[in-house]
Amino acid sequence: MTQELIEGILAAIPLPSVLVDQTERFIAANTEGATLLGPQIIGRHFATILRQPSVTTAIETCLLDRQPRTARHLSNDGAQDTTFEVTLRYVPGVGAVRGGAVLVCFSDITDREQASQMRRDFVANVSHELRTPLTALMGFIETLRGAARNDADARDRFLTIMEGEASRMNRLVGDLLSLNRVESEERVRPKDRINLVDQLQSTIKSLDPLAAAGGTKLRLQAPSIPVEIPADPDQIQQVFTNLIENALKYGGKEVAVVLTVLDRDPALRCPAVRIQVTDDGPGIDPVHLPRLTERFYRADNHRSRELGGTGLGLAIVKHIINRHRGRLRVESDLGQGATFTVILPQ
């Protein structure tokens, strides 16, 4: 088999691929393989390039017993770590004195690894979030059966706490179901058209009691004419209920909701609407901003739990806005309040 034919076959393989012969040197590589391992690898010993023991051992063993092998190769492109599944197959009759060679192919499984890690983190987070109220409930039940059996005051106090913990679990399960439903519909674009002004007015009216209870002024600034957009009314209601409710809980004395119609938004490249929810509260440390929409991430963990937060609200908001092909931006500095901006195509 000529060198030209070997290189032609490697070029036809869509994965990064290299060939190592019995001299333990690279004798060929396709464009993807040269990009991954370096352009000047031909003629070099594989151990000087592939320094990871699992890969080098697999190549050495495959050259000896000619059996298929797999290994894992970790790389970094300067921005993020990349994980490759390395497949090795022996090719007879090529290389030095036609002694055979090992075809090494690299398959990028980073997305699979990240999805698996996210699933493990999600299960761990859900377990942790449920374990705390369950432990509290079990402790109070044991106390009510024992020392506080005949103590009416303690019983009433414990039952109130138990009701709060049960409600917290119920909210968590509800948010998990909502997140699952939103994720399953994320690729399906909404077909209904809604009047966003009416939707915001309805949302603010439903939250007026919460604003009054906290002594917060809640105001809406919007055009006097209808502003229609393609949207799922229930999901849009959920987005702004969450954002305004968060502003009322964590903000200061005033929350402003401002609706602006844009002739063209640079990010969406089309006519759009911009809704900004702004509060004058203590603000959010900028270090937290990139992670606010992660599941179970809380900028103020203790306060969020006290106020009944599940850590899933902004994750749900992000997925709903993605379904509507919109954008979510968060701007805040400590002591200067926070602004959550939603941009939706019109």
Side-chain angles (χ1 to χ4, degrees):
M1 187 180 293
T2 64
Q3 184 68 20
E4 183 180 0
L5 181 57
I6 291 173
E7 292 176 355
I9 292 173
L10 283 185
I13 299 175
L15 302 175
S17 304
V18 294
L19 206 58
V20 179
D21 71 359
Q22 292 291 347
T23 65
E24 299 187 343
R25 297 180 183 277
F26 294 106
I27 61 171
N30 63 7
T31 303
E32 293 82 357
T35 300
L36 175 63
L37 301 180
Q40 307 296 328
I41 63 172
I42 305 302
R44 296 185 62 178
H45 195 283
F46 72 85
T48 64
I49 304 296
L50 299 168
R51 299 175 181 273
Q52 298 175 31
S54 60
V55 181
T56 57
T57 300
I59 294 175
E60 290 170 352
T61 309
C62 191
L63 285 170
L64 289 174
D65 63 15
R66 305 185 178 186
Q67 297 300 309
R69 291 283 186 283
T70 58
R72 294 170 73 84
H73 175 74
L74 302 179
S75 179
N76 188 293
D77 60 4
Q80 65 173 1
D81 293 329
T82 308
T83 304
F84 291 92
E85 184 176 61
V86 185
T87 304
L88 299 92
R89 295 293 185 270
Y90 188 79
V91 183
V94 297
V97 296
R98 297 187 177 181
V102 173
L103 175 64
V104 185
C105 297
F106 298 81
S107 178
D108 189 346
I109 60 170
T110 306
D111 289 344
R112 193 194 315 168
E113 290 289 301
Q114 290 176 343
S116 179
Q117 184 61 46
M118 285 176 62
R119 186 167 57 249
R120 289 193 295 270
D121 291 344
F122 182 70
V123 171
N125 284 325
V126 171
S127 301
H128 174 73
E129 293 291 334
L130 287 173
R131 180 175 296 170
T132 302
L134 281 173
T135 302
L137 285 172
M138 291 172 65
F140 287 128
I141 290 171
E142 184 179 348
T143 303
L144 288 172
R145 282 179 169 174
R149 181 190 297 271
N150 300 315
D151 188 337
D153 292 338
R155 183 172 63 244
D156 291 342
R157 186 171 68 255
F158 290 161
L159 286 174
T160 301
I161 298 173
M162 290 168 68
E163 181 183 19
E165 295 293 343
S167 297
R168 179 179 161 193
M169 284 194 294
N170 190 48
R171 287 193 301 271
L172 177 60
V173 172
D175 280 354
L176 287 171
L177 292 173
S178 180
L179 181 60
N180 181 67
R181 184 167 58 252
V182 169
E183 285 184 325
S184 67
E185 298 174 345
E186 191 168 349
R187 297 184 183 277
V188 181
R189 298 191 70 170
K191 298 179 180 178
D192 297 334
R193 292 190 70 83
I194 66 168
N195 181 354
L196 191 55
V197 176
D198 288 347
Q199 196 81 42
L200 288 172
Q201 288 174 343
S202 173
T203 303
I204 287 176
K205 186 176 180 180
S206 68
L207 292 172
D208 273 339
L210 179 62
T216 304
K217 181 181 178 182
L218 179 57
R219 62 181 178 87
L220 171 65
Q221 180 182 327
S224 57
I225 59 174
V227 177
E228 291 194 347
I229 63 168
D232 182 312
D234 292 334
Q235 290 189 346
I236 290 297
Q237 179 95 2
Q238 190 172 10
V239 165
F240 293 111
T241 297
N242 187 290
L243 294 180
I244 298 171
E245 195 174 61
N246 282 351
L248 292 173
K249 287 180 178 178
Y250 304 106
K253 294 301 179 182
E254 182 174 354
V255 173
V257 181
V258 180
L259 169 60
T260 307
V261 179
L262 307 174
D263 292 333
R264 177 180 171 81
D265 179 74
L268 299 184
R269 299 180 181 179
C270 66
V273 293
R274 180 179 64 211
I275 308 94
Q276 293 177 298
V277 179
T278 304
D279 65 69
D280 59 352
I284 306 168
D285 192 323
V287 72
H288 297 296
L289 298 184
R291 301 188 60 189
L292 280 183
T293 57
E294 291 182 16
R295 299 170 181 176
F296 299 109
Y297 187 83
R298 298 177 174 94
D300 187 341
N301 197 33
H302 180 68
R303 189 179 179 195
S304 175
R305 289 177 188 276
E306 281 188 343
L307 294 173
T310 62
L312 293 172
L314 289 178
I316 294 172
V317 165
K318 179 189 72 172
H319 285 290
I320 291 176
I321 293 174
N322 286 346
R323 184 197 174 196
H324 288 73
R325 307 303 190 264
R327 298 288 187 274
L328 173 66
R329 293 202 303 263
V330 186
E331 300 165 284
S332 182
D333 286 305
L334 282 175
Q336 299 181 23
T339 297
F340 286 76
T341 302
V342 176
I343 302 174
L344 299 170
Q346 194 177 0

